[in-house]
């Protein structure tokens, strides 16, 4: 059964409050400043039919209005 | 007129919604509809209440939008039936594709819970017919994921079709929503969703009865009131 990873990211230009919170936390821990911190989701799944993954993303895993997704299937 | 109030695992405002509906349509004329049930029991209007349906797993409202009851609600809405989504219910209706846009986390990352001033923008929807444009409503809002968002093209379409139903009154912006939107309607104007909670504002004893106007509106639309 093929193993797939779906990377789901907030679309460019959409304010990501979680990313902002992490960005602000880093200097507090003594790390050098980081910028453009964005927090998304990783979904891992084993599927019978990898050709369905795009439809699965469109219908359920991602909200296309606000999120981009990237499908990675292990060879 | 009978009103059905949907109940998912994790819904928490269904009793207030039921009582608010009963205040408008009379005791005994509102009932709960279980999420697994496709049978809408012949109700004339549906409220999708607030809470945290299915734990809001994946995205707020995403799983609830796929429930058997929502399949029936979608068909009911397509036939012109009045459907109101409140808070999590609004998120569910957006996820189900019955309303435009979606909700993002508040920029403050905080769960905001306070009374807000709403402005009624249009009064020609199934749920604002008893109100008038420009009317101010004092209604509590309580949410962390309430920043209504629509990409530019969709926002233009929503504005062109007068689908913005409620905005937060000036200087009272609890969640940074696009164009200060608090609630929207569909093209057919029978489905309305909003983040603040009219069902919690139905008695002057608890601060405001301004929310009742929404629950009275389907009666006017049906020519009952």
């Amino acid at each position: 059964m093929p193993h797939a990873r779906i990377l789901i990211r907030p679309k460019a230009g959409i304010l990501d409050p979680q990313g902002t919170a992490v960005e602000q936390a880093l200097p507090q821990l003594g790390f050098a400043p980081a910028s453009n911190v964005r927090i998304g989701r990783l979904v891992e799944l084993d599927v019978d039919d990898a050709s369905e993954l795009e439809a699965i993303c469109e219908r359920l895993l991602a909200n296309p209005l606000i999120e981009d997704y990237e499908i990675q299937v292990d060879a | 007129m009978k009103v059905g109030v949907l109940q998912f695992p994790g819904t928490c405002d269904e009793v207030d919604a039921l009582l608010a509906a009963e205040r408008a349509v009379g005791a005994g004329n509102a009932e709960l509809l279980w999420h697994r049930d496709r049978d809408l029991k012949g109700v004339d209007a549906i409220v999708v209440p607030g809470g945290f349906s299915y734990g809001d797993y994946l995205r707020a409202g995403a799983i609830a939008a796929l429930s058997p009851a929502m399949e029936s609600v979608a068909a009911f809405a397509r036939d012109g039936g009045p459907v109101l989504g409140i808070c999590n219910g609004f998120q569910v209706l957006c996820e189900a594709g019955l309303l435009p846009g979606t909700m993002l986390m508040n920029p403050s990352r905080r769960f905001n819970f306070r009374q807000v001033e709403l402005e009624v923008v249009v009064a020609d929807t199934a749920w604002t017919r008893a109100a008038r444009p420009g009317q101010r409503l004092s209604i509590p809002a309580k949410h962390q994921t309430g920043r209504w968002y629509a990409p530019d093209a969709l926002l233009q379409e929503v504005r062109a079709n007068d689908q913005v139903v409620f905005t937060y009154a000036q200087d009272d912006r609890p969640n940074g929503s696009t164009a200060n939107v608090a609630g929207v309607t569909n093209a057919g104007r029978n489905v309305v969703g909003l983040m603040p909670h009219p069902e919690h504002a139905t008695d002057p004893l608890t601060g405001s009865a301004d929310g009742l106007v929404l629950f009275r509106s389907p009666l006017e639309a049906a020519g009952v009131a």
Side-chain angles (χ1 to χ4, degrees):
Chain A
M1 202 179 255
H3 180 73
R5 273 178 304 283
I6 317 285
L7 303 173
I8 298 158
R9 303 181 170 95
K11 272 190 193 289
I14 286 187
L15 174 69
D16 171 22
Q18 293 189 92
T20 311
V22 169
E23 198 168 307
Q24 290 166 354
L26 289 173
Q28 288 176 30
L29 292 170
F31 292 109
S35 55
N36 298 318
V37 179
R38 312 281 285 167
I39 296 184
R41 252 188 335 272
L42 165 66
V43 181
E44 292 196 89
L45 65 171
D46 297 330
V47 286
D48 273 344
D49 183 357
S51 72
E52 289 185 338
L53 284 169
E54 191 165 339
I56 289 173
C57 289
E58 291 281 333
R59 296 250 348 248
L60 180 62
L61 297 183
N63 182 336
L65 281 181
I66 49 171
E67 293 167 331
D68 291 322
Y69 58 87
E70 182 183 328
I71 300 169
Q72 300 175 345
V73 184
D74 286 352
Chain B
M1 167 171 278
K2 280 196 165 284
V3 178
V5 178
L6 247 56
Q7 189 178 37
F8 305 102
T11 297
C12 61
D13 293 326
E14 70 274 33
V15 174
D16 271 18
L18 200 74
L19 294 173
E22 284 195 334
R23 280 184 188 237
V25 299
N29 287 325
E31 63 180 312
L32 293 175
L33 301 171
W34 186 234
H35 67 117
R36 278 200 190 134
D37 235 334
R38 282 192 170 78
D39 180 8
L40 299 179
K41 299 182 181 172
V43 297
D44 306 293
I46 289 170
V47 178
V48 189
F52 303 86
S53 56
Y54 294 89
D56 276 345
Y57 297 145
L58 193 63
R59 293 178 305 275
I63 307 293
L66 307 171
S67 64
M70 275 306 298
E71 274 180 35
S72 302
V73 170
F76 179 83
R78 278 195 297 273
D79 289 343
V83 180
L84 174 67
I86 302 168
C87 196
N88 192 225
F90 185 16
Q91 295 161 341
V92 172
L93 295 177
C94 287
E95 282 284 343
L98 295 174
L99 287 174
T102 191
M103 253 60 69
L104 292 160
M105 186 188 283
N106 299 348
S108 67
R109 302 180 290 271
R110 291 202 176 90
F111 188 98
N112 281 334
F113 188 0
R114 64 184 171 86
Q115 203 77 7
V116 296
E117 288 287 316
L118 288 189
E119 185 167 327
V120 178
V121 181
V122 291
D124 62 346
T125 78
W127 297 92
T128 52
R129 215 167 288 261
R132 51 182 168 71
Q135 188 175 344
R136 293 281 184 102
L137 307 177
S138 175
I139 291 195
K142 43 166 200 176
H143 56 252
Q144 185 177 26
T145 305
R147 177 168 43 122
W148 183 82
Y149 169 82
D152 285 343
L154 180 60
L155 179 65
Q156 280 176 25
E157 191 186 316
V158 164
R159 280 180 155 159
N161 296 330
D162 292 323
Q163 284 174 258
V164 175
V165 181
F166 301 102
T167 53
Y168 298 104
Q170 207 124 36
D171 303 325
D172 193 6
R173 309 187 58 172
N175 57 30
S177 62
T178 302
N180 220 10
V181 167
V184 294
T185 187
N186 63 339
R189 311 189 87 71
N190 57 310
V191 183
V192 169
L194 76 167
M195 284 312 295
H197 289 260
E199 83 283 17
H200 294 332
T202 61
D203 194 324
L205 191 65
T206 53
S208 165
D210 290 355
L212 276 177
V213 73
L214 278 85
F215 296 93
R216 287 201 189 106
S217 288
L219 290 170
E220 294 212 355
V224 180

